Amino acid sequence: MFLPHEVLDHILDYLHDDFETLGACALASRALLQTSRHHRFNECEVGLRRMRELLPLLGASRDLANSIMALKMVPRIVPAELLDSLQHLPALRALRTSVDSLPAAAHVPRLTSLHVQGHQRIRGEELLRGISMFPQLEQLILDGVFLKAEEGSAIPFHPPAPPLHRLHCSNGDCAAVVWKWLAAEDAIPTHISLMYTIRHRMSAARFAESCGPLAPLAQDLEIRFIPDGNMDGALHGVDFDLSSFTSLRSCTLRFASYEMCVPQNLSLTWIPRILAQLRSEDLRSLTISLVVDNVEDLRSLNSECAVRVLTCAYFDDMCVLDWASIGNALLSESLAGLKTVAIEGQHTWGPLKTYIRASCPEMHSRGILSLVPVGPIPRWV
């Protein structure tokens, strides 16, 4: 007795990330082959060796080629003959590749999503020309893309810009150049998101310079403060200001400190100072994460060569934060639309909640604060 195809497809949908089982299903019955193959190859991550193995299969099986809709190319530099194979993927719509391979990726002009990772610097003119080769592009992610030092922000020409709906820039220094190009071509994306890591003064200054033009229109912002020393050293003398991000809808601020979460840790005083810079009436959700050295291994105190292990701060230890100043920043009229403030930490949160209720009763009464338990090891550090 055979089940209807709709029922079989629904069953296989539950196995979408179980590749071993999907392979067994594909071999078990021809009725299961097409859906199993779709889930198995819909999103492919391929290295250099696997790409060479995949090429003969694409020529032998059109169904397999039609199943690949998203491709992540792991190697930094991909041989030209392998890039040529992209034209044999008629269903490919999303590609993740390095900036080195961007010019040769024009074999798939029908892409709607492009994720470019920067492994070496590129001329601004080459970057814009590479992006313009995808006339149907709707989503662009620029991850750590740096321009060559002599390039500057002046581009001699503006190629046609794709109709982007979403632009995401992560670190790098190309955001301003890309934005000026899109604005000149009247192709401003409807959604702009930014993610930057600040480790020292240079990265803080780069953030201010690169993101300045995009700040008034950015809807999502994530900043990771991971200073090599302390926050004073990373931000001292830098014109770091978030007040120009007036259209934010969500914001994530992550702070890492190689000291303990104690009153003597002066880096912690920057948390309310940075929160006080937020000026977006559209801001609805705010996430704050704190990672410190919890000194889990006491032997490190007596070791000159101890390795600092950063873990999420305990909720109990967060009582040392200036909650009165934090409350004043979050309750300002400029953040009148704020609905949720998530504080990430670990272990029991009861004492901290009681402390916040006593030190900042107005914020507690609004019910916007949420203490979110997370695992001890953060993925973002």
Side-chain angles (χ1 to χ4, degrees):
M1 178 179 180
F2 290 97
L3 295 174
H5 281 288
E6 294 81 2
V7 177
L8 294 176
D9 290 344
H10 192 62
I11 294 173
L12 291 173
D13 288 344
Y14 283 98
L15 305 173
H16 67 278
D17 57 352
D18 189 344
F19 293 163
E20 185 175 350
T21 303
L22 288 173
C25 293
L27 294 173
S29 170
R30 184 174 293 275
L32 304 177
L33 175 59
Q34 184 173 357
T35 304
S36 299
R37 178 179 282 168
H38 167 76
H39 286 306
R40 176 61 183 86
F41 293 100
N42 181 38
E43 296 183 4
C44 261
E45 179 176 337
V46 292
L48 198 57
R49 182 180 62 84
R50 193 177 181 190
M51 287 181 67
R52 298 185 188 279
E53 296 174 350
L54 185 62
L55 285 180
L57 298 178
L58 296 178
S61 174
R62 176 172 291 274
D63 290 339
L64 175 60
N66 289 330
S67 299
I68 302 178
M69 301 183 66
L71 184 64
K72 176 182 177 182
M73 304 170 71
V74 177
R76 287 180 50 184
I77 301 178
V78 182
E81 65 272 14
L82 298 183
L83 287 169
D84 291 341
S85 66
L86 297 180
Q87 60 185 321
H88 300 301
L89 303 176
L92 186 63
R93 294 296 180 270
L95 177 65
R96 180 172 180 175
T97 186
S98 67
V99 70
D100 315 73
S101 304
L102 182 59
H107 296 295
V108 280
R110 57 193 172 277
L111 282 184
T112 58
S113 177
L114 177 64
H115 185 153
V116 181
Q117 294 179 296
H119 294 290
Q120 68 177 22
R121 294 182 178 270
I122 186 174
R123 294 178 60 243
E125 182 179 343
E126 294 177 357
L127 176 63
L128 300 188
R129 184 185 295 111
I131 298 172
S132 68
M133 292 187 300
F134 307 99
Q136 301 178 33
L137 198 62
E138 298 177 359
Q139 174 176 276
L140 174 63
I141 300 175
L142 300 172
D143 185 3
V145 177
F146 288 88
L147 301 180
K148 290 186 176 180
E150 67 275 9
E151 179 63 36
S153 59
I155 304 298
F157 80 106
H158 286 151
L164 288 179
H165 297 317
R166 182 181 180 89
L167 172 65
H168 175 80
C169 296
S170 174
N171 297 312
D173 62 359
C174 67
V177 169
V178 174
W179 172 251
K180 290 179 180 178
W181 169 51
L182 295 176
E185 292 294 306
D186 196 21
I188 300 177
T190 56
H191 189 279
I192 299 174
S193 59
L194 302 170
M195 194 285 287
Y196 270 77
T197 300
I198 295 179
R199 299 184 181 274
H200 39 66
R201 295 182 188 179
M202 184 178 298
S203 57
R206 184 188 303 129
F207 167 79
E209 179 181 358
S210 181
C211 294
L214 288 80
L217 296 177
Q219 290 99 334
D220 298 319
L221 174 66
E222 177 177 346
I223 302 181
R224 302 173 179 181
F225 298 93
I226 314 177
D228 296 334
N230 52 41
M231 290 287 287
D232 288 334
L235 298 180
H236 178 71
V238 178
D239 185 18
F240 182 87
D241 188 11
L242 301 181
S243 61
S244 57
F245 288 85
T246 54
S247 300
L248 288 181
R249 298 175 184 174
S250 69
C251 180
T252 299
L253 299 175
R254 304 190 185 277
F255 300 88
S257 173
Y258 287 92
E259 302 178 45
M260 299 173 62
C261 190
V262 293
Q264 292 76 14
N265 186 349
L266 298 181
S267 292
L268 301 181
T269 63
W270 278 91
I271 296 178
R273 293 167 62 180
I274 291 175
L275 291 175
Q277 297 178 2
L278 296 175
R279 295 286 188 276
S280 174
E281 295 183 356
D282 297 325
L283 186 63
R284 296 294 181 266
S285 64
L286 173 65
T287 300
I288 302 173
S289 179
L290 177 60
V291 171
V292 296
D293 183 4
N294 285 311
V295 194
E296 303 286 356
D297 189 349
L298 296 179
R299 293 175 298 179
S300 64
L301 295 177
N302 296 322
S303 175
E304 296 181 357
C305 301
V307 177
R308 297 288 188 179
V309 178
L310 300 184
T311 54
C312 292
Y314 296 128
F315 284 123
D316 289 353
D317 294 341
M318 291 187 192
C319 292
V320 304
L321 299 180
D322 187 355
W323 286 103
S325 298
I326 291 176
N328 291 334
L330 298 180
L331 296 175
S332 65
E333 294 183 0
S334 58
L335 299 181
L338 191 59
K339 301 296 183 183
T340 303
V341 179
I343 309 293
E344 296 181 349
Q346 60 172 320
H347 289 195
T348 57
W349 47 263
L352 177 60
K353 187 175 183 179
T354 302
Y355 184 84
I356 295 175
R357 184 189 298 119
S359 59
C360 191
E362 186 178 355
M363 182 174 65
H364 182 270
S365 63
R366 278 189 56 181
I368 62 175
L369 194 63
S370 176
L371 304 180
V372 181
V374 295
I377 307 299
R379 296 182 178 181
W380 55 272
V381 176

